[in-house]
Amino acid sequence: MDTPTHVYCYPVSRESAYVPLLFRGIEAQYCPIYRQEGFFTEAIAELAAGRRVIVHVHWEEFVLRACRTDQEAAHAAEGFERSLGEVRDRGGIIFWTVHNEVPHLIGFGEQFLRLRAYLARIADVILVHNATTTEILAAQVNLDRAKARLLPHPSYVGEFEDETALVAGLDTCPDRIIQGFGWVRVQKGFGEMIGMLPPSFVDSRSARIRISGEGVEAPAVIATNPGREDVVWDLRHVPNREVPALLRSACCLVLPYTRVLTSGIALVAMSVGVPLVAVDIPQFRDLLPPENHPLLFPRGDAHAFRRCIDHALSLSTAQRRRLVEANLKLARLLRPHRIAQQLAALFNAARRDGVPG
C-alpha cells in the first residue's frame, strides 16, 4: 500500500472541530498533520527528501495570534510568506480555504489583508464554501477566479449520535426556549439578539432565552444587556454527546451573526434537527431549504426578527417535523465522508496536473 500523502493543515489545532471532518474515510490517501506554529519547516524537509506534500492553509489570521504590535505582525507575515514561498519553490502543492470575511478575534487588519493577498497569488487551489465567498474575496484581493473551487462545509450528521438516536430525537417536544449556541463572542451578535427581544416580548410568550457556550468575551456580551432575568447563561463547553438534546429542547436556534461567510453552527443545527432563525443573506438562503426560509429576517430588523421567533414558537408538531426533516435531508447530502471524497478528488487533480481540478 502506498504511503499516504501528508497534508499540513496550518495554523490548525488538533482540537479543530472542522478540519478532521474533511478527512473522514480518506486518511489512507491523505493524512492530516496539524500545526499551529513553526510555519512549514517539516513540510519543507519532506519536500527536500523527495516526498510529495500538500500544505492546506486555514484561518490565516491566526498567523498573527501571538503578535502585540504592528511590527510583530509584519514580521510574522514576512516569516509566513517566506516559509510558504519555499514550499512552492520546492514543488509543494498549496491549498487555501477561505473561512472568514474579517478576523474574528485578531486585529492587524493591514497584515491580515497582506496575508490574504499573498495566499491568493501563491495558492494552487482556493476553496470556498459558497459562491458569495468568491465575490467577497474578489473585492478584497486580486483574485484569479480559475483557482476557486466550491467545497461545501461538511455537516455533522453521524458526529454526535447514530442514526437511530437522530431519528428518534426528531420527535422531541421542545420547550419555549430561544437558543443561542457556540463561542460566546461579541462579534457573534448575541448581545444584539438579546437586545431585539425585550423582556416584555419574551415574558408575554412564556419563553426564555438560553445562551450555551464558552468564551473569554462572555462578560462583555452579558454586559450589553444587564439585568436580564429571562436570559439563561449556560456558559460552559457543551460536550458533543449533549449537543443534540440541548438544541432539540429549544423551539429554535438563532444565528444572530451580522458578518459571516459560512456557519458551522448552522450545519450542527441542521444535522440534529432544530429550526434555524438567521439573517436573510445569500449564504443562508443557499444553505437552508425553502421550508426554513420563513425564519430568515432582514439584517437589523427587530420587528421581522420577533415575527420569526413567534413563527418558531407557534410551529405545530407536524410543521416542525417537516421543517427539520427538510434541513436534515440537505445535511445528509453534506455528510463528512461525501465532502472528504470531493476534497480527495481536488487533491488528486492537483497532484496529477499541478493545476486546479
Side-chain angles (χ1 to χ4, degrees):
M1 180 180 292
D2 292 338
T3 302
T5 298
H6 285 168
V7 180
Y8 285 87
C9 301
Y10 184 90
V12 178
S13 165
R14 290 181 180 276
E15 273 64 66
S16 170
Y18 166 80
V19 175
L21 301 178
L22 301 178
F23 293 89
R24 290 286 188 267
I26 66 169
E27 297 93 339
Q29 294 174 271
Y30 295 103
C31 176
I33 308 292
Y34 300 99
R35 292 293 181 266
Q36 290 182 271
E37 299 174 348
F39 296 137
F40 307 106
T41 305
E42 294 163 288
I44 292 166
E46 284 205 56
L47 289 164
R51 291 190 285 272
R52 298 297 299 270
V53 164
I54 296 172
V55 164
H56 194 161
V57 178
H58 298 264
W59 299 289
E60 62 279 4
E61 62 263 34
F62 287 110
V63 171
L64 311 173
R65 67 153 61 82
C67 300
R68 294 167 296 176
T69 66
D70 290 338
Q71 185 177 8
E72 288 180 355
H75 181 72
E78 288 168 7
F80 174 84
E81 292 174 7
R82 186 166 52 251
S83 186
L84 193 57
E86 188 169 354
V87 170
R88 161 48 50 81
D89 292 343
R90 291 183 178 273
I93 298 168
I94 300 170
F95 274 61
W96 171 37
T97 293
V98 183
H99 287 276
N100 303 324
E101 180 180 357
V102 294
H104 282 179
L105 296 175
I106 297 167
F108 309 112
E110 181 180 348
Q111 297 304 324
F112 167 74
L113 289 176
R114 168 185 171 170
L115 289 172
R116 184 154 278 195
Y118 180 75
L119 285 163
R121 290 196 306 272
I122 200 170
D124 296 292
V125 180
I126 300 171
L127 299 180
V128 297
H129 291 132
N130 50 57
T132 300
T133 297
T134 304
E135 300 309 314
I136 290 174
L137 184 62
Q140 292 179 327
V141 301
N142 183 16
L143 176 65
D144 178 357
R145 291 172 182 263
K147 294 182 177 183
R149 290 292 178 271
L150 177 65
L151 185 76
H153 191 305
S155 74
Y156 294 84
V157 173
E159 296 298 306
F160 301 129
E161 59 189 345
D162 62 25
E163 184 72 13
T164 300
L166 170 59
V167 173
L170 298 181
D171 290 323
T172 299
C173 183
D175 296 324
R176 298 181 70 78
I177 296 171
I178 304 161
Q179 180 75 54
F181 180 74
W183 285 103
V184 183
R185 297 170 177 160
V186 173
Q187 176 266 347
K188 294 291 188 180
F190 291 120
E192 290 82 353
M193 162 191 165
I194 294 167
M196 290 193 293
L197 298 174
S200 58
F201 175 89
V202 177
D203 292 345
S204 67
R205 274 76 176 170
S206 299
R208 66 185 186 277
I209 301 167
R210 181 174 66 199
I211 308 297
S212 301
E214 59 183 336
V216 296
E217 295 185 23
V221 175
I222 294 172
T224 61
N225 292 277
R228 289 293 299 266
E229 295 182 0
D230 57 328
V231 179
V232 177
W233 293 99
D234 179 26
L235 299 176
R236 62 191 175 98
H237 169 72
V238 181
N240 282 356
R241 66 182 182 277
E242 295 182 21
V243 169
L246 175 79
L247 298 188
R248 288 194 291 253
S249 70
C251 78
C252 64
L253 174 66
V254 178
L255 302 175
Y257 315 146
T258 56
R259 301 184 75 171
V260 62
L261 293 184
T262 190
S263 170
I265 299 300
L267 284 150
V268 169
M270 294 170 68
S271 301
V272 303
V274 61
L276 277 163
V277 175
V279 174
D280 191 354
I281 54 179
Q283 297 91 306
F284 288 133
R285 284 217 165 244
D286 292 345
L287 176 65
L288 296 167
E291 289 84 349
N292 204 121
H293 289 182
L295 297 181
L296 301 179
F297 64 96
R299 190 193 311 269
D301 189 332
H303 294 291
F305 176 50
R306 290 192 285 271
R307 284 196 298 272
C308 288
I309 297 298
D310 275 335
H311 187 141
L313 286 166
S314 67
L315 288 172
S316 69
T317 300
Q319 289 171 329
R320 178 184 170 96
R321 179 69 185 241
R322 284 195 296 271
L323 191 160
V324 299
E325 283 185 339
N327 282 349
L328 182 57
K329 181 179 180 180
L330 290 184
R332 286 193 169 109
L333 295 176
L334 300 173
R335 283 178 182 268
H337 76 272
R338 294 174 66 103
I339 303 305
Q341 290 296 328
Q342 294 179 39
L343 179 60
L346 290 167
F347 285 161
N348 291 342
R351 290 182 60 188
R352 181 183 66 244
D353 305 329
V355 296

